[in-house]
Amino acid sequence: MLPKRLALPIFASDPLSSVAYATQEILLVLTLGGLAYVHFVPGIAVAVVALMTVVVLSYRQVVHAYPSGGGSYEVVSANLGPSAGLVVGAALMVDYVMTVAVSVASGVDNIISAVPQLHPQRVLMAIGFVALLAVVNLRGVRESGRAFAAPTYLFISGVLIMIATGVFRYLVGDAPVAESASYGIRPQAGETHLAGLAMVMLVLRAFSNGCTALTGVEAISNGVPAFRRPKSRNAATTLTVMGLIAVTMFVGVTALAIMSKVHIADDACRLTGLGGDCSTYPQRTVIAQVAAAVFGGEQSVGFYYVQAATALVLVLAANTAFNGFPLLASVLAQRRYMPRQLHSRGDRLAFSNGIVALAIIAALLLWGFEANVTSLIHLYILGVFTSFTLSQVGMVRHWNQVLASESAPTLRRRHHLARIVNTVGALITGLVLVVVLLTKFLDGAWLAVLAAAVLWLLMRGIRRHYDRTTAELTSTDPQADLASPSRVIAIVLVSTVHKPTLRALAYARALKPDRLEALTVAVDRDEARAVEEQWQQLGIDVPLKVLDSPYREVTRPVVDYVRSISREASRDVVSVYIPEYVVGRWWENLLHNQSALRLKARLIFTPGVMVTSVPWQLASSARADRHGPRAPGAVRRGEPRH
């Protein structure tokens, strides 16, 4: 069980690390109109802080009401029904993917801010970090408190020291000046002299970008069972501390960006006074420019400290999704909304399939969007506020149900207050969701909406399939289903009279079928005649039937013959035995067993037909056996037994 000092970095690395890019995303939107609209930054920051306060207070109620964990998905499923819960599940899964993509891309940005020469390799670096995180999680290395605590606390302390130093310098008249302070910014085409609705939309877009500071807030409500007792109280306290630290860092970084006159644009070529080739100029992140301004330049120890801690905590924030996504996928798979393979753990007790799926999707996003944080942000925040809003609506319904059965005055007052908090939270987060949808939809958020909608439909389709399969497989008359077949007709397929064929024949005979025959296809008349002669020479007392194949095809004559036998009597069972080679090299599979695969693929769709593979191990298979995995206590071929 985790104490609060370790639970904070484990569960809060995502919301705390978002401070590294939230202010930057606000500035990038406002500077579309040039520098004239930067004066809106303080007001937007205040609105983000107010929203953070509401969300933290709302999730404190979730923590107390659902101490078993589960977060938004459990709250919504329990109070609004499985369909609404599935909406949250789809939104959260999209959000987990975006967490990996955005956090890694932002981490790479901060590395490049310290070492600009790495800019051409940004996409490769980002995909490399995702691959590294996937490998670590597949190896079963779970996040430990100390491993997460050190980078997170280093980041918090570095940012707080930077804020304190910058504010002190400002108060004594030595305000820090950013490297970009002397640059101007040309407004983007169509964004000059905004007024009325256009200016409101620009400010709302900036606000919705700033709301990325709230990502990951609900992680603590998912992990309440991991806290020390009293679990709910400790989780609520940790949530409050996380909110206070996140707000302090966000306000501090935003204030320093304004004080030091950080100028940043979505395209470096819109910067005026830059000098040199703007197309190859890598703009430093806002937090990097602030750190350089506060600590005395890009070669200062403080600058490198902040950049290293920021990059590390952002990568760790991405790792939280590698725990959350596979776990949520496993819960959904357990409820038959996702493929059952996602519910199974690998040999190192990790949800391997979920980890691999998350890594592949995140890597594709980073490649498709060139690891650009601003482009990815548009797809990000929508899922966050979908889960926020539905969770708070679910909590309101929860408190309504509790109040309907509660009679104690003290508890009723407490529950009334909790309901008010969640009602306010639902209204505000719902309003923000509408704002985010309106301002980001055409900028790329439609992709996130489409992905969540497709995932929702896919999960419902998977559930319907599993329900239909279960209904179809459930026995309504066990006695009839247990009745033995009238006859068992065994057919051994023969291509050549060799050891594999003889083993299959011996195996079929050992099972004592009611009727046994061998079957070969005369693709080549001379070869078929040779098989018949060899069959007679060996004196095999099993009849060999030869099928003509005028089109030199093997599969169709066999399938037609087997189906004709199975139609003779509905209660007969036809068992087809197919000799197969077991090989040890991948390329050998391309040279053998192709006819067997085609036959099995066709025969399994025929009612009343059983297909049995009879393996024959070639010499190369012994090599694969020596190098393959073995169970504990197993002895490989050729090893002595002790």
Side-chain angles (χ1 to χ4, degrees):
M1 297 301 171
L2 296 172
K4 293 189 289 293
R5 70 178 185 280
L6 295 182
L8 177 68
I10 288 176
F11 293 113
S13 59
D14 186 9
L16 293 177
S17 66
S18 62
V19 170
Y21 50 81
T23 301
Q24 176 173 308
E25 294 306 315
I26 294 173
L27 287 170
L28 284 171
V29 172
L30 291 177
T31 53
L32 290 174
L35 296 176
Y37 302 98
V38 175
H39 67 277
F40 286 112
V41 171
I44 293 172
V46 170
V48 171
V49 169
L51 181 61
M52 171 74 83
T53 303
V54 170
V55 171
V56 168
L57 290 175
S58 299
Y59 270 100
R60 279 177 57 91
Q61 314 310 315
V62 175
V63 164
H64 287 296
Y66 288 87
S68 59
S72 297
Y73 176 71
E74 291 293 340
V75 171
V76 175
S77 296
N79 295 287
L80 302 180
S83 293
L86 212 56
V87 171
V88 171
L92 285 175
M93 293 190 77
V94 172
D95 185 50
Y96 279 130
V97 173
M98 298 311 306
T99 295
V100 175
V102 171
S103 295
V104 168
S106 184
V108 169
D109 274 353
N110 282 279
I111 293 173
I112 292 172
S113 294
V115 189
Q117 295 82 358
L118 295 175
H119 180 70
Q121 283 77 42
R122 62 181 300 111
V123 176
L124 185 61
M125 289 171 61
I127 294 176
F129 278 125
V130 172
L132 177 62
L133 289 169
V135 169
V136 169
N137 282 276
L138 286 172
R139 294 292 297 174
V141 180
R142 314 304 292 172
E143 76 275 40
S144 66
R146 290 180 178 82
F148 265 64
T152 305
Y153 282 128
L154 286 173
F155 172 70
I156 293 172
S157 60
V159 172
L160 292 180
I161 290 171
M162 179 182 72
I163 292 170
T165 305
V167 171
F168 176 77
R169 287 184 56 184
Y170 179 80
L171 293 176
V172 299
D174 181 26
V177 180
E179 63 179 35
S180 60
S182 60
Y183 301 156
I185 300 180
R186 279 194 301 271
Q188 192 179 64
E191 302 288 349
T192 56
H193 305 296
L194 297 176
L197 182 60
M199 186 172 65
V200 171
M201 290 300 294
L202 184 72
V203 173
L204 289 177
R205 283 175 64 189
F207 168 71
S208 62
N209 273 21
C211 289
T212 54
L214 279 74
T215 57
V217 169
E218 76 153 13
I220 291 176
S221 67
N222 292 331
V224 178
F227 283 80
R228 282 182 178 174
R229 297 179 184 277
K231 297 178 184 293
S232 295
R233 183 186 303 171
N234 287 334
T237 302
T238 305
L239 187 59
T240 302
V241 172
M242 180 273 295
L244 290 173
I245 295 174
V247 164
T248 301
M249 292 196 299
F250 171 71
V251 170
V253 171
T254 304
L256 288 178
I258 296 171
M259 293 176 191
S260 60
K261 297 181 172 60
V262 172
H263 295 162
I264 189 169
D266 60 332
D267 182 358
C269 290
R270 291 203 299 111
L271 297 174
T272 60
L274 182 62
D277 186 3
C278 63
S279 62
T280 60
Y281 176 72
Q283 295 184 85
R284 286 191 168 91
T285 61
V286 166
I287 198 168
Q289 292 192 48
V290 168
V294 169
F295 293 118
E298 294 82 5
Q299 303 303 319
S300 63
V301 175
F303 170 78
Y304 281 109
Y305 173 89
V306 170
Q307 291 311 106
T310 301
L312 188 55
V313 80
L314 282 165
V315 173
L316 287 179
N319 191 59
T320 59
F322 275 96
N323 293 293
F325 180 95
L327 184 59
L328 177 59
S330 174
V331 172
L332 290 167
Q334 186 178 17
R335 299 180 181 185
R336 300 187 295 182
Y337 289 113
M338 295 293 282
R340 289 175 179 170
Q341 293 88 336
L342 294 174
H343 181 53
S344 304
R345 293 181 184 268
D347 57 355
R348 293 180 180 269
L349 300 182
F351 294 109
S352 306
N353 294 326
I355 292 169
V356 171
L358 174 60
I360 291 174
I361 299 170
L364 288 173
L365 273 173
L366 287 166
W367 175 74
F369 287 87
E370 298 181 345
N372 186 294
V373 176
T374 302
S375 299
L376 291 166
I377 283 288
H378 295 312
L379 285 71
Y380 191 16
I381 200 68
L382 195 67
V384 175
F385 279 94
T386 299
S387 61
F388 281 175
T389 303
L390 289 177
S391 174
Q392 300 314 305
V393 173
M395 285 302 300
V396 172
R397 186 166 186 180
H398 167 77
W399 295 125
N400 287 338
Q401 294 170 348
V402 170
L403 286 168
S405 59
E406 183 61 64
S407 57
T410 303
L411 292 177
R412 285 187 63 84
R413 282 195 298 271
R414 185 182 304 170
H415 295 155
H416 269 300
L417 179 60
R419 183 173 64 177
I420 291 172
V421 170
N422 287 128
T423 301
V424 173
L427 292 173
I428 293 178
T429 55
L431 179 61
V432 174
L433 175 61
V434 173
V435 170
V436 169
L437 191 59
L438 289 175
T439 57
K440 289 179 173 287
F441 190 81
L442 295 179
D443 288 331
W446 65 270
L447 284 172
V449 175
L450 179 62
V454 169
L455 187 58
W456 185 83
L457 291 171
L458 182 63
M459 289 191 290
R460 287 179 62 88
I462 290 172
R463 176 59 186 264
R464 283 196 300 270
H465 168 76
Y466 280 134
D467 289 345
R468 282 198 306 268
T469 302
T470 300
E472 190 172 341
L473 297 180
T474 300
S475 177
T476 56
D477 188 356
Q479 294 303 318
D481 293 330
L482 284 170
S484 300
S486 300
R487 292 185 306 164
V488 176
I489 302 170
I491 299 175
V492 179
L493 300 185
V494 178
S495 59
T496 306
V497 183
H498 51 15
K499 290 181 179 180
T501 299
L502 297 177
R503 171 180 286 184
L505 197 63
Y507 178 66
R509 180 184 289 168
L511 296 178
K512 296 181 172 55
D514 297 288
R515 170 181 157 190
L516 174 62
E517 63 181 44
L519 183 68
T520 189
V521 179
V523 175
D524 184 286
R525 288 305 309 172
D526 293 335
E527 290 181 3
R529 192 175 298 109
V531 169
E532 289 182 286
E533 291 174 358
Q534 194 174 4
W535 196 267
Q536 292 172 1
Q537 289 173 3
L538 292 174
I540 301 173
D541 60 348
V542 175
L544 174 65
K545 185 174 184 61
V546 181
L547 299 178
D548 289 327
S549 179
Y551 299 105
R552 304 178 65 83
E553 186 182 5
V554 174
T555 305
R556 183 180 294 276
V558 172
V559 172
D560 290 343
Y561 178 73
V562 171
R563 286 178 176 173
S564 68
I565 293 177
S566 66
R567 284 194 295 265
E568 291 177 2
S570 60
R571 291 192 58 191
D572 286 355
V573 169
V574 180
S575 185
V576 181
Y577 295 86
I578 305 177
E580 287 192 59
Y581 303 136
V582 179
V583 297
R585 302 178 181 90
W586 66 267
W587 53 267
E588 289 179 299
N589 282 303
L590 302 176
L591 305 177
H592 302 285
N593 300 326
Q594 300 306 307
S595 296
L597 289 173
R598 289 194 295 270
L599 281 165
K600 285 191 288 186
R602 294 286 301 277
L603 289 172
I604 58 174
F605 290 101
T606 305
V609 175
M610 312 298 174
V611 182
T612 303
S613 295
V614 183
W616 180 271
Q617 290 78 17
L618 294 177
S620 63
S621 65
R623 174 178 175 273
D625 180 53
R626 286 195 300 271
H627 295 287
R630 59 175 166 178
V635 178
R636 290 196 180 105
R637 187 179 304 170
E639 287 187 1
R641 292 181 181 270
H642 298 286

